[in-house]
Amino acid sequence: MGSIALIRQEFSDADWYGRAKAAVARNPKLPLVETNVAHEALRAALEANTTFVAHTQDEHDIQRWQLIAKEFPFNLAFRGTGLEYRRLGMVSATKPTIILPLQLPAVPDVSDISVAHRVSLEDLIHWYWAADNPRLLDSAGCRIAFTTDGLKDRSEYLSAIRTFVEHGLPRERALAAMTTNAASIAGIDNRCGKLASGYIANMVIADGDIFNDKTTIRTVLVAGDEHVQAPRADVDIRGHWTVAAVAGRTLRAHVSGEAERPTATFKADSIAIPGTFSVDNGRISFTLRTDTLGATGVARGTAVLDSILMQASVVMADGSTASVVFRRDSVIAGEPPAKPSKPEVRRGLPNWLPLDPFGRTGEPEQESVLLRNATVWTCSSDGLLQNADVLLQGGKIAGVGKGLVGAGTAIDATGMHITPGIIDEHSHIAITRGVNEGTHAVTTEVRIGDVLNPDDVNIYRQLSGGVTGTHLLHGSANPM
């Protein structure tokens, strides 16, 4: 509450400051306005139509900020929470710009029935729908971008976006969120975000569809300056090789895997020879356990990388040396480019609000109900009525008395007492993030209406106790 009041006051002050300075400029006889650099900076930003980015803490903060932007008109974008899907209708009504975080919830632990009950339905809903949030917002017409802010391991950036694509976010929309949308929000879309003449040479070069998890980013250009991420192999040695001779035996080597990080298996006839194999800095290194070849121990060797013929120097377990030739017999064709996977078919977003265990698909239908033969506490000049009826129609009391007739449901209330719904005259339910303002004793500048939480389960709990109206007030720590 206090933060919203402070923000509104600052915008109001900046507005007054600008108008007061303009008035003095028109009429030098007016008293000078004391210079305030903060007001000047905010006023200049407003006059330049600068986009302000509001950091939200829940999905309702979007509407709270939009009310401020409506009172003091300014351009607004949001740093989202990933929870916007929970109020998709409210958010999509204004189609805001939202910069989305990339954190995704861990899979809830329901493996053991002794702990599974601790996982709430709300947590399960979020686990299922969190990765759909970008798709839902984009399909609703919101402009989205992504941020690594809050991501513990920023190398997971692309992995998270690939997950969004798997959950139905179109590839071209995901790429726009990473490029053109981001550039537009930052105000640099006249020179960044596109591969176009005159734009800064910022590029990502990959060996396949960037949203496929088997694709490797090879190099990145920043203003034309190349930063190699994963260089291609200078020599692709994958294939079948004849190795002659180790401990007097000719071996067969099968080299497979990725061209940059190949692996190899060795055989003497049909017998597998245990060992290791690696490629680094233009050389191969290998070890072979030669016990099955008649030489106890492990032989170690190295050779300069070549695509056809490699001459290896080998040191046997007894310290003797030998020359071994690797001769290529055939190649292994690389794997064909991975085809884009089809997005997972997702079920429709539940249409109840709030999106938690107590949500509803709509307002309850107002039935016609006749309560018969009760003791009725009218709290009016009629006083206490014995053996009386109460007729409800369209959500209102249509009549109180004896012998009433009405269509709909009739309930025998003999022995029951009926009173007006209880009104809680001082309550702190359904208020977001605290009700006391600890820095001020007098807090008449704040408004409870700014921080209402319509999803608070305590609303239901009060209804179950007969409370039908609540007066939400500031904390008792504040006299005013």
Side-chain angles (χ1 to χ4, degrees):
M1 291 184 296
S3 298
I4 292 176
L6 180 61
I7 292 168
R8 292 179 60 247
Q9 186 64 58
E10 183 55 36
F11 276 105
S12 179
D13 289 347
D15 177 66
W16 172 87
Y17 184 81
R19 289 186 287 106
K21 295 278 282 189
V24 172
R26 293 191 302 268
N27 184 1
K29 294 182 179 181
L30 292 175
L32 292 176
V33 178
E34 181 179 349
T35 299
N36 186 305
V37 293
H39 293 344
E40 286 188 356
L42 180 55
R43 187 69 189 173
L46 291 170
E47 291 176 350
N49 291 321
T50 301
T51 296
F52 291 76
V53 178
H55 194 301
T56 63
Q57 297 184 49
D58 62 43
E59 61 273 28
H60 297 292
D61 277 350
I62 291 178
Q63 191 173 61
R64 295 178 184 124
W65 272 103
Q66 287 175 331
L67 291 174
I68 298 174
K70 184 177 180 180
E71 184 178 3
F72 308 97
F74 59 89
N75 296 326
L76 188 59
F78 300 97
R79 194 285 195 186
T81 61
L83 301 172
E84 291 76 21
Y85 67 90
R86 300 202 303 196
R87 286 282 176 170
L88 187 62
M90 178 194 73
V91 174
S92 63
T94 55
K95 297 177 173 51
T97 294
I98 306 179
I99 304 168
L100 295 172
L102 297 172
Q103 299 96 316
L104 291 171
V107 178
D109 183 7
V110 294
S111 58
D112 188 332
I113 60 173
S114 65
V115 297
H117 69 280
R118 300 175 188 172
V119 180
S120 68
L121 178 58
E122 187 173 355
D123 289 339
L124 290 173
I125 289 173
H126 183 54
W127 165 73
Y128 185 86
W129 286 106
D132 292 83
N133 192 53
R135 169 181 64 85
L136 294 169
L137 291 174
D138 178 76
S139 63
C142 300
R143 181 174 62 165
I144 64 171
F146 300 117
T147 176
T148 58
D149 179 37
L151 200 62
K152 290 183 179 179
D153 183 357
R154 296 191 177 186
S155 67
E156 296 178 357
Y157 171 84
L158 187 54
S159 175
I161 298 176
R162 286 169 173 169
T163 300
F164 299 153
V165 171
E166 290 173 3
H167 283 67
L169 179 65
R171 283 170 161 73
E172 64 276 10
R173 304 302 302 153
L175 185 60
M178 301 163 67
T179 55
T180 53
N181 289 359
S184 177
I185 295 168
I188 56 173
D189 51 323
N190 61 339
R191 57 190 183 278
C192 292
K194 297 179 181 179
L195 294 179
S197 177
Y199 276 60
I200 297 174
N202 296 334
M203 291 184 286
V204 175
I205 300 174
D207 59 10
D209 181 344
I210 194 173
F211 299 113
N212 190 296
D213 58 7
K214 293 185 178 180
T215 293
T216 300
I217 293 178
R218 295 296 180 183
T219 189
V220 176
L221 273 68
V222 179
D225 185 18
E226 184 177 20
H227 300 266
V228 177
Q229 305 298 308
R232 284 187 175 277
D234 294 327
V235 179
D236 187 351
I237 62 170
R238 291 176 295 178
H240 299 282
W241 296 73
T242 297
V243 184
V246 178
R249 298 284 297 275
T250 298
L251 309 182
R252 294 280 295 167
H254 175 70
V255 183
S256 58
E258 298 179 16
E260 294 77 18
R261 293 177 291 276
T263 60
T265 58
F266 295 85
K267 285 186 175 182
D269 297 327
S270 60
I271 301 174
I273 308 300
T276 63
F277 185 88
S278 63
V279 175
D280 184 45
N281 199 26
R283 300 186 68 88
I284 66 167
S285 297
F286 61 93
T287 65
L288 295 170
R289 181 162 290 280
T290 56
D291 300 83
T292 56
L293 303 178
T296 302
V298 175
R300 296 174 295 155
T302 182
V304 175
L305 202 62
D306 189 83
S307 61
I308 299 175
L309 194 69
M310 294 184 287
Q311 188 84 24
S313 298
V314 177
V315 178
M316 304 300 291
D318 60 4
S320 62
T321 61
S323 180
V324 173
V325 175
F326 282 69
R327 186 183 69 249
R328 192 173 199 166
D329 300 321
S330 63
V331 300
I332 298 177
E335 295 183 6
K339 296 181 179 179
S341 58
K342 293 183 179 180
E344 179 183 345
V345 177
R346 306 291 288 171
R347 65 184 66 182
L349 187 70
N351 65 343
W352 70 75
L353 289 176
L355 195 55
D356 61 28
F358 303 98
R360 301 183 62 94
T361 57
E363 294 184 2
E365 183 180 350
Q366 300 295 341
E367 301 178 11
S368 177
V369 178
L370 178 61
L371 304 172
R372 289 177 172 167
N373 201 36
T375 299
V376 180
W377 300 64
T378 67
C379 292
S380 70
S381 58
D382 292 336
L384 185 67
L385 303 180
Q386 300 290 343
N387 304 317
D389 305 334
V390 178
L391 178 62
L392 309 177
Q393 290 180 340
K396 292 186 177 182
I397 299 171
V400 178
K402 295 186 177 183
L404 299 182
V405 177
T409 302
I411 299 175
D412 183 5
T414 301
M416 308 300 289
H417 289 243
I418 301 174
T419 74
I422 298 170
I423 300 174
D424 185 346
E425 189 48 47
H426 186 137
S427 178
H428 299 321
I429 71 165
I431 297 174
T432 297
R433 293 190 288 274
V435 69
N436 289 304
E437 289 298 328
T439 57
H440 285 177
V442 176
T443 58
T444 52
E445 72 274 20
V446 301
R447 304 182 302 192
I448 292 292
D450 289 333
V451 291
L452 292 179
N453 176 15
D455 299 343
D456 188 0
V457 68
N458 287 301
I459 298 173
Y460 298 89
R461 290 171 179 161
Q462 287 215 346
L463 283 169
S464 69
V467 177
T468 58
T470 297
H471 189 185
L472 304 183
L473 293 176
H474 307 88
S476 301
N478 309 120
M480 294 177 61

